[in-house]
Amino acid sequence: MTKNAWRQLVQRIVKSEMSLRGVKYQSLSERLLEVGVEQSADNLRNKVNKGIMGADLLLQILLVLNARPITVQGLQEILAELDAEKG
């Protein structure tokens, strides 16, 4: 897997959880602030769209979104979908 595939994986997971809960970037920013994490909506949008963020921010985002559990099987499925879309 390429670095880009891993970044797309991060992007898909976060966007999927946001979509599932109807959370926009401003709301995500506010939720993060409630747990002491200061990130502007624009900054979050850039990080999510690029799929580049620290592990700490990824975990904080998943926490405030009350995200579904992430399984190895789920990650493999998303990576397979990304690979199929590429080819």
Side-chain angles (χ1 to χ4, degrees), residues 12-45:
R12 275 231 182 142
I13 290 170
V14 174
K15 284 186 171 187
S16 171
E17 292 300 322
M18 289 176 66
S19 177
L20 188 64
R21 287 156 187 76
V23 173
K24 304 286 186 207
Y25 289 101
Q26 184 58 46
S27 176
L28 180 59
S29 174
E30 293 165 3
R31 289 180 183 209
L32 285 167
L33 194 55
E34 290 174 5
V35 296
V37 179
E38 193 171 334
Q39 291 282 330
S40 71
D42 287 339
N43 193 27
L44 288 167
R45 183 177 297 103

Side-chain angles (χ1 to χ4, degrees), residues 18-78:
M18 289 176 66
S19 177
L20 188 64
R21 287 156 187 76
V23 173
K24 304 286 186 207
Y25 289 101
Q26 184 58 46
S27 176
L28 180 59
S29 174
E30 293 165 3
R31 289 180 183 209
L32 285 167
L33 194 55
E34 290 174 5
V35 296
V37 179
E38 193 171 334
Q39 291 282 330
S40 71
D42 287 339
N43 193 27
L44 288 167
R45 183 177 297 103
N46 288 333
K47 288 181 178 186
V48 172
N49 286 333
K50 291 179 182 177
I52 302 173
M53 64 186 73
D56 53 345
L57 180 58
L58 176 60
L59 293 174
Q60 292 159 340
I61 288 171
L62 295 175
L63 176 74
V64 299
L65 289 175
N66 194 28
R68 299 167 287 180
I70 297 174
T71 65
V72 171
Q73 180 181 353
L75 295 176
Q76 290 170 334
E77 289 171 3
I78 295 169

